[in-house]
Structure formats: C-alpha cells, structure tokens
C-alpha cells in the first residue's frame, strides 16, 4: 500500500492503516526523541504528541510520500519544546519545605526520589492499565486514547473512535464510572 493509500485509509477511519503508519514510523520517532536527551516518559509524551499532531493535520498533508519527513520534523520540534520547557526545572519533594528550609538533603530528595514511592506508583499504573485492558469496547479504546492524546479535542477523539461528537462525553462518563467501580472492587478484595 502506498503512503497515499495508507493516508486515505487512515482518514476514512481504517484502524489497520493507522497501525501501519505507527508500525512503520514509531522506531524513528522514538530514536529522535531519545536523541534529545529526554527520559523514557518524556520521549513517550513527545512521540504521542507527534501522533496527535498527525491526527490533527492528516487531512492537510499535501505530499503523502513525505509523511516520514513531516513526522521527523514534528517530533524534533516537540522534543526541543519539551527540552526547553524542562531545562533548569528541578523536581522538589515538597516545594514549601524547600523554600522554608534550604537543607541540602532536600535537593538530594529531589534528584533521588523515594524508591518505595516509585515502586508503588508503578504498581498502581500497572494495575490501572491491566484493568483498562479487561474492559469492553468502546471503553478500552476510549480510555487508551484519552491517555495517549490528552490535549485532543472532543471532536477529534470522537472521530478517531468512530462515534458522534455528542456521544463522546456521555460514553466517557460511563467508561470512567465503570473503571472507578472496577478499581474500587479490586481494592476491597484482600
């Protein structure tokens, strides 16, 4: 399938076409993002942001044969923007305490966060996504898309999910309530 056919199919909502675009280009996008010195999490944000820009701009692509170059330019811009935004910022365990007490060990805490907190946070994330994976459609796709494209508009998300824009909000509410109920039930189990 040519790039033009793939883009036409993606515009028509063909999931296989989107998967083909992602499979073909993701490796290079990740390489460029990581080459900018970004952490794995920041690189993931940059790559997801790049795919979101493609979703927003796909209908305006004039030369489909240059989609790879367009994606690489976009991921570079996203990576540079994030690098500039985070340059010089320092994570602090407790910003109020940092201002009140300039104890050097606070800086150590900011650079070396509590390992127990890291493990608990990662475990919580794994539990959340395992639960999402057990959900039925459209909830599973809707929640995954919400997480990967948090800045996308309702119309864009609805189109991507193949539903009317007016149905997106109520469906999202039902899915979030179902997820909340499932997680609460899991927490209640010994």
């Amino acid at each position: 399938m040519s790039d033009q056919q793939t883009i036409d199919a993606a515009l028509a909502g063909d999931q296989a076409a989107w998967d083909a675009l992602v499979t073909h280009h993701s490796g290079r996008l990740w390489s460029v993002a990581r080459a900018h010195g970004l952490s794995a999490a920041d690189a993931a944000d940059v790559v997801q942001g790049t795919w979101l820009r493609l979703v927003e701009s796909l209908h305006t692509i004039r030369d489909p044969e240059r989609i790879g170059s367009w994606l690489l330019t976009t991921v570079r811009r996203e990576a540079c923007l994030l690098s500039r935004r985070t340059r010089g910022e320092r994570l602090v365990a407790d910003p109020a305490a940092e201002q009140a007490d300039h104890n050097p060990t606070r800086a150590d805490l900011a650079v070396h966060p509590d390992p127990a907190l890291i493990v608990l946070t990662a475990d919580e994330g794994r539990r959340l996504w395992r639960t999402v994976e057990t959900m039925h459609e459209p909830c599973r796709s809707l929640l995954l898309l919400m997480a990967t494209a948090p800045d996308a508009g309702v119309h864009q998300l609805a189109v991507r999910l193949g539903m009317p824009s007016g149905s997106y909000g109520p469906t999202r509410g039902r899915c979030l309530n179902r997820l909340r109920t499932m997680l609460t039930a899991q927490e209640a189990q010994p």
Side-chain angles (χ1 to χ4, degrees):
M1 191 181 278
S2 73
D3 286 339
Q4 179 66 55
Q5 292 170 320
T6 304
I7 289 173
D8 289 343
L11 281 169
D14 182 349
Q15 185 62 47
W18 279 108
D19 293 344
L21 282 170
V22 171
T23 300
H24 184 70
H25 296 287
S26 281
R28 283 180 281 175
L29 297 180
W30 274 92
S31 295
V32 170
R34 290 307 298 258
H36 279 80
L38 299 175
S39 68
D42 286 343
D45 288 345
V46 164
V47 171
Q48 290 169 358
T50 300
W51 288 116
L52 176 60
R53 300 296 169 263
L54 181 61
V55 168
E56 294 170 343
S57 305
L58 192 58
H59 65 283
T60 66
I61 301 291
R62 284 181 250 144
D63 186 1
E65 299 304 320
R66 301 207 20 90
I67 192 81
S69 298
W70 187 93
L71 285 165
L72 291 174
T73 299
T74 304
V75 78
R76 272 189 214 97
R77 287 179 183 157
E78 293 279 327
C80 288
L81 180 65
L82 183 62
S83 292
R84 266 186 260 128
R85 208 176 320 144
T86 58
R87 195 176 299 130
E89 288 182 10
R90 214 175 52 147
L91 297 177
V92 179
D94 182 0
E98 178 70 15
Q99 289 177 347
D101 177 19
H102 295 293
N103 185 346
T105 59
R106 291 266 181 223
D108 292 340
L109 285 175
V111 175
H112 305 288
D114 181 12
L117 181 60
I118 292 170
V119 169
L120 288 173
T121 303
D123 185 52
E124 223 171 57
R126 281 189 296 275
R127 186 171 61 90
L128 170 75
W129 290 113
R130 272 195 310 266
T131 304
V132 168
E133 287 296 321
T134 66
M135 297 179 80
H136 297 291
E137 293 298 338
C139 289
R140 180 177 41 232
S141 294
L142 186 144
L143 294 169
L144 289 169
L145 190 56
M146 279 176 52
T148 57
D151 296 331
V154 169
H155 178 72
Q156 292 168 336
L157 293 170
V159 167
R160 184 75 168 95
L161 292 166
M163 65 174 55
S165 295
S167 297
Y168 177 80
T171 304
R172 182 185 70 186
R174 285 190 298 275
C175 292
L176 289 171
N177 284 336
R178 188 172 303 138
L179 178 61
R180 190 176 302 113
T181 300
M182 293 171 75
L183 291 171
T184 302
Q186 288 176 10
E187 289 172 1
Q189 294 175 355

